[in-house]
Amino acid sequence: MIGNKNEGLSITLGFPDEHGYDNKKKQSVYRIWKRLSSLQRSLIFLVLLLCGISAIYIIPNLRQSHTTITDQVDPVKDDEKGSIQKLKLEKEKADFIASLKRKHAKHQIDDLMKKVKNQNANVAPAVKAGGHGEDNVLLPPDDQKEQALSNDARLDHGNEDEDSDKDDNVDGQLNHPLKTVDNDFKVEQKENSAVYDYFSPYRKHSSKQSAVIDAFKSSWSAYKKYAWGHDEFHPISKTHSEWFQLGLTIVDGIDTAIIMGLKTEYEDARAWIQNDLVFTHDRDVNLFETTIRILGGLLSAFHLTRDNVFKEKATDIGNRMLPCFNSPSKVPYSDINLLTGRAHAPRWGPDSSTSEVTTIQLEFRDLSRITGDKKYEKAVDTVSNHVHNLPKKNGLVPIFINANTGHFRNSATITLGARGDSYYEYLLKQWLQTGKTNRMYKDDYKEAVDGMRSQLVRQSEPNKLTYIGELLGGRSFSPKMDHLVCFLPGTLALGYINGMPEEHMDLAKELMRTCYEMYNKMPTKLSPEIVFFNQAQKSKDDLFVKPADSHNLLRPETVESLFYLHRITGDKIYQDWGWQIFQAFMKYTKVEGAGFSSINNVRSKGNPGFRDKLESFFLAETLKYFYLLFEDSIDYLSLDKYVFNTEGHALPIYSQ
């Protein structure tokens, strides 16, 4: 113990005295210290120093351990317990469903391999040789079963009813994929975000993707040889023509070359755009077509490469089209002279097409986002708000609107075909592009789909194919369906995984089957431009084609929807349908040494007749969607990061 103050500072050493008493001997600390040698003193200092350093590290850890133990021992609140237990149960459920998916996917792939093997065994030799004399188009065998199982998208994004013994590919009852809820993702695209290396030499393509790439290169090569720099290519006569004098095929097709990883084709296109693309020709252009093909193509190329050449050209043409919005109603005029800036209604009448004035918003909004100039987005938002406030028939709109008065032509037809289609498409896609923050687009879209289901959806006889008809004059139902309507299955499916009702997905699958049958029921396995569906109870065939409607323009809509349905459900039946259609294009529309041409008559296998025209959308959309259809990775151009405009150009999704 410590001694009293008279003796100075002392410390009890605890030694017994010489008489054996228990009295503790007191010694002065100072005296003891003086007796120590220099070495002993140094050792004491060292020990004290080490103890101090140890305390610095040990004491905080002891406190942290005490806190952890306390957290584990102390009871949590009831709501916290419930949340933890809920998370554990959800994880266990997800693991269980995943195991079922793998088991069922293997069962489906086994059956699919058997069917493909049997199909190939029964195909006539003439078809295998590429002859024109057989109805069926050969489907090549899929990859090895084990590889197919490992790559099968259904393992993570497929059918939910995995405990059923039915094969979804056989019975046609495709189960719903998992969907998201509102505001489940908001991706903020940043100017300096990393750019994917589309031209990497390590990229791999499936055999079907390689076939699509060859088709693109064949068309591109022929266009470059005979029509480079011109809008349109005529592969039979090997000539060219102008529509807008803007190198339409190049600008429309450049992002497809990027996505496919075709560096040479891309570099040729980029050089032409940088050096030769000008907007000073004294020529009228259509606002809608120029926006979706030229502006959309330039914006997509910019986002995929971050090359400012495309941004500068996009800004230039965007500025030149702004005078279209200087109408009394702010509904844009349909045409404009890019040199003089004079905008006007179309030559054929006073009205603009409804789809045209409402299918420019994705592109102009994106232009504002990359330039920081709000004038482009403001112009198209004014149009959208105006149309939103106009009276409609169950959310459905007539196909004509007057730029001077701002009103619909009430006697106009209501259709999801020509002049009406992409109005509905852009309602959903604008909601997605803005990060699901503008409910006006979502509400208008849901109302429109409800209107379609109540006013336009019918079933044919005798096989009950679901189709979308028209209201002539806004009143009288017609069982007419354009091939253009086949964009709708993909749009409905895209809406479903972003929170739309389950019946949207039901309708998407039914319409997808119908669009496929529009190809499958034709002798050439190619769809006509327009079909009519039978409504009489005793009809022999579900659909018929008028002679004037039997042509095929190499349109993309069905392939586009097949891409969405496969990407969303993971069901390979959509790839099979797409491959059959691609093979039919190869058989009946390919021109030896000159790419592809639209044809006159899909009902004639022996003489379909070339129309001598390659549409730019065949490169921009049809082949692009074929390529993406045969891509099994859901992360390649992910649907939660990109939205495709109506010409197939990929634009980013923003947070608002």
Side-chain angles (χ1 to χ4, degrees), residues 246-257:
L246 296 174
L248 196 60
T249 299
I250 296 175
V251 183
D252 214 7
I254 186 172
D255 66 340
T256 303

Side-chain angles (χ1 to χ4, degrees), residues 220 223-224 227-233 240-255 265 268-281 283-285 289-290 292-298 310 313 317 338 614-617 619-620 647 649:
W220 188 271
Y223 167 77
K224 183 178 180 182
W228 188 248
H230 297 282
D231 284 342
E232 298 173 331
F233 174 45
H240 52 75
S241 59
E242 304 296 350
W243 189 8
F244 304 140
Q245 208 169 343
L246 296 174
L248 196 60
T249 299
I250 296 175
V251 183
D252 214 7
I254 186 172
D255 66 340
E265 287 77 4
D268 289 343
R270 183 199 177 280
W272 186 89
I273 289 171
Q274 181 178 28
N275 301 321
D276 300 301
L277 178 60
V278 295
F279 309 117
T280 54
H281 299 295
R283 193 183 192 98
D284 284 353
V285 302
E289 297 288 358
T290 305
I292 66 171
R293 301 192 195 209
I294 300 298
L295 180 57
L298 292 169
F310 306 116
K313 295 291 184 179
I317 196 167
L338 293 180
L614 172 69
E615 300 283 355
S616 72
F617 55 65
L619 301 179
E647 190 71 8
H649 298 306

